[in-house]
Amino acid sequence: EIVMTQSPATLSVSPGERATLSCRASQIVKGNLAWYQQKPGQAPRLLIYGASTRAAGIPARFSGSGSGTEFTLTISSLQSEDFAVYYCQQYNNWPLFTFGPGTTVDIK
Amino acid sequence: EVRLLESGGGLVQPGESLRLSCAASGFLFSNYAMNWVRQAPGKGLEWVSVISASGGSTYYADSVKGRFTMSRDNSKNTLSLQMTSLRAEDTAVYYCAKDRYSGGSFDAFDFWGQGTMVAVSS
């Protein structure tokens, strides 16, 4: 099983600032990595797939990068609606999909 | 507009069974693999199971293998998860989620339902 880790567990950021979230896979997942955003009481929403491709309707301030085992989600200028939990997920080792434990982005 | 609507959750005792459903609309259901993902209270996301577009293949997380059965009815655009021998650790919100890719392999999950809560407690 591929284990996903995320850092930091919590990131405190001021509105307008840049946020950088990290995700690491225990084995190579190539570019088969997705990022999801989840707000309290809501379902997760796909932000990024293929490590760097924004899903439909996702603002350009969200960007993804990386390949192999190391990945990054960057939010260039945090808006109030971006404070949420972010999960990475590998789908290279399908059909055994695994999620990371999440990074909470909260208001500094 | 893609819509996924889960139902069937509730409170059950350990060892009992429950059947969840997911009604899909707004896309060609029979072309896409579908998943169940769960989230225990205050915890992260855990993938549970996936079914291929045709329904011919199903796969499960080790934590539910042998106890849960996933199925689909492409004529009714519905997905089901039959859960048996439920345990306290199965307590979670269960989401159905659509695979992004229709090409036969599995991909990211591009649409999610709002979830249905399953509580297992005596």
Side-chain angles (χ1 to χ4, degrees):
Chain A
E1 177 188 339
I2 297 178
V3 177
M4 307 300 291
T5 56
Q6 291 185 244
S7 61
T10 302
L11 185 61
S12 296
V13 185
S14 299
E17 288 188 341
R18 183 186 192 91
T20 302
L21 289 66
S22 296
C23 173
R24 174 178 290 180
S26 62
Q27 302 174 37
I28 291 173
V29 298
K30 303 177 187 175
N32 297 313
L33 190 284
W35 290 94
Y36 300 86
Q37 177 194 66
Q38 188 179 33
K39 298 178 183 179
Q42 296 186 17
R45 176 174 72 146
L46 177 65
L47 298 176
I48 301 284
Y49 62 90
S52 60
T53 302
R54 278 190 302 277
I58 301 304
R61 64 181 181 272
F62 291 92
S63 63
S65 63
S67 65
T69 61
E70 301 280 345
F71 301 89
T72 300
L73 175 70
T74 301
I75 311 171
S76 60
S77 176
L78 268 152
Q79 306 298 302
S80 58
E81 61 267 30
D82 300 335
F83 293 98
V85 181
Y86 292 83
Y87 295 94
C88 62
Q89 176 213 20
Q90 70 80 21
Y91 51 93
N92 187 68
N93 191 36
W94 63 263
L96 299 179
F97 308 98
T98 45
F99 291 91
T103 290
T104 300
V105 177
D106 66 16
I107 300 174
K108 187 175 183 180
Chain B
E1 178 191 7
V2 173
R3 299 193 71 175
L4 300 170
L5 184 62
E6 302 93 337
S7 60
L11 173 63
V12 296
Q13 295 191 344
E16 293 187 338
S17 299
L18 202 60
R19 186 178 185 89
L20 306 183
S21 296
C22 173
S25 61
F27 65 102
L28 191 52
F29 182 70
S30 59
N31 275 15
Y32 293 89
M34 297 292 295
N35 297 268
W36 287 99
V37 178
R38 68 184 181 183
Q39 186 169 36
K43 303 297 184 182
L45 301 171
E46 180 189 15
W47 172 77
V48 172
S49 61
V50 64
I51 189 166
S52 63
S54 68
S57 298
T58 52
Y59 302 93
Y60 302 91
D62 286 345
S63 58
V64 307
K65 198 174 296 182
R67 300 187 298 123
F68 289 12
T69 302
M70 188 176 184
S71 60
R72 65 190 295 160
D73 185 338
N74 284 346
S75 68
K76 297 181 179 179
N77 290 0
T78 59
L79 191 67
S80 296
L81 185 67
Q82 178 68 45
M83 304 185 295
T84 64
S85 303
L86 282 162
R87 307 166 179 167
E89 53 264 36
D90 296 318
T91 294
V93 174
Y94 285 73
Y95 297 100
C96 64
K98 171 186 169 291
D99 194 277
R100 190 190 69 83
Y101 184 59
S102 65
S105 62
F106 300 116
D107 205 276
F109 307 162
D110 61 350
F111 289 94
W112 299 60
Q114 283 305 300
T116 186
M117 181 69 201
V118 172
V120 184
S121 175
S122 55

